[in-house]
Amino acid sequence: MFLLSVWGQDMNVTGTVVSNKGNPVKNVKLSVADFPISTKTNKNGQFTLKKVRPEDTIIVQVNKNYAKFRIGENDTLKLVLSDNLLSVNPGDKDPVQAPFIQGTLYNSEARTVSVITSKMIERTNALTLVDAIKGKVPGVHIQTTESGEYYATMRGGKSLNMSEHALVIVDGVETTLDFAGNISIHDIESIEISKDGFGYGVKGSNGVIIIKTKK
């Protein structure tokens, strides 16, 4: 019964990241898998991840290596870094070890493509497609025409198609954001937002919003 009451509830997780010699490690990147929550350790190796849930997977990025672990019910952590291993010490419980894998998962600053998953939509309690997009991706703005129809613009759009509107694709079919807004939020599998519109030619010069529904 206790697990049922905690599962799915937001919590703030605090902790420190240290080397295997006990020295604090700054600028370590921590993020939540499949959700835009992230932070970095300060000069004392301290961090806070806000609005985390027990079922979340935490990604720890160090240079070009990363390790992952499930947060569980632990709101205070000590993370110990070694060359190939991350040791997670959750308070008075036994430590959990996760291997470091070569690669970079945390690279949101450099991405021109953002993906909003059904899990993320559920987490934000969005009621409509517009709610799911609005304010979630930097540089993407939802606006309305004089007649009240929704459309999206993206910072950096080239306007080669004589329009500032982003292209909208639903399950492979070109449509409008206003029409797509009629899709039930519960039927959306993912929303992919491509600011460069790569692969869509002139039509995608102002960015592309690709909506995939659940089959």
Side-chain angles (χ1 to χ4, degrees):
M1 294 297 293
F2 176 75
L3 289 176
L4 288 175
S5 65
V6 172
W7 196 258
Q9 298 298 313
D10 291 344
M11 61 182 183
N12 293 337
V13 176
T14 60
T16 57
V17 178
V18 300
S19 68
N20 55 7
K21 294 182 179 180
N23 299 319
V25 183
K26 65 178 181 180
N27 291 328
V28 174
K29 299 175 182 179
L30 299 98
S31 59
V32 177
D34 301 320
F35 200 75
I37 297 175
S38 63
T39 189
K40 291 182 180 181
T41 56
N42 61 20
K43 63 181 181 180
N44 297 316
Q46 300 169 330
F47 68 89
T48 299
L49 281 169
K50 297 182 178 180
K51 295 186 177 180
V52 178
R53 294 188 176 183
E55 63 267 30
D56 284 336
T57 295
I58 306 302
I59 301 170
V60 180
Q61 186 80 48
V62 182
N63 298 322
K64 295 183 179 181
N65 299 295
Y66 70 90
K68 300 191 293 184
F69 66 93
R70 183 65 62 87
I71 189 67
E73 299 168 29
N74 308 300
D75 59 5
T76 304
L77 297 171
K78 181 180 180 181
L79 307 181
V80 182
L81 307 180
S82 63
D83 291 338
N84 301 309
L85 206 63
L86 169 70
S87 181
V88 182
N89 296 280
D92 58 353
K93 298 180 182 179
D94 293 334
V96 175
Q97 294 183 331
F100 274 105
I101 301 171
Q102 188 171 9
T104 301
L105 290 181
Y106 188 109
N107 193 28
S108 59
E109 296 91 343
R111 293 185 65 188
T112 59
V113 177
S114 300
V115 178
I116 301 172
T117 65
S118 57
K119 178 182 177 181
M120 294 165 63
I121 293 172
E122 179 183 357
R123 186 85 160 255
T124 58
N125 296 317
L127 299 177
T128 66
L129 171 67
V130 170
D131 290 338
I133 299 174
K134 196 171 184 179
K136 304 301 187 301
V137 180
V140 178
H141 305 284
I142 304 297
Q143 304 181 58
T144 55
T145 64
E146 293 183 358
S147 59
E149 297 179 339
Y150 287 109
Y151 68 95
T153 61
M154 300 187 195
R155 186 172 55 218
K158 304 176 182 63
S159 298
L160 297 178
N161 57 1
M162 304 303 293
S163 169
E164 61 178 356
H165 297 197
L167 179 66
V168 179
I169 305 290
V170 177
D171 291 335
V173 179
E174 183 178 338
T175 184
T176 64
L177 184 62
D178 198 65
F179 181 83
N182 295 319
I183 300 172
S184 170
I185 196 69
H186 304 293
D187 292 334
I188 296 175
E189 179 65 34
S190 65
I191 305 168
E192 181 179 307
I193 299 175
S194 173
K195 293 181 182 179
D196 56 19
F198 180 77
Y200 287 88
V202 174
K203 286 187 176 182
S205 59
N206 292 315
V208 184
I209 299 175
I210 305 166
I211 302 161
K212 295 181 181 179
T213 61
K214 298 176 182 177
K215 302 298 183 181

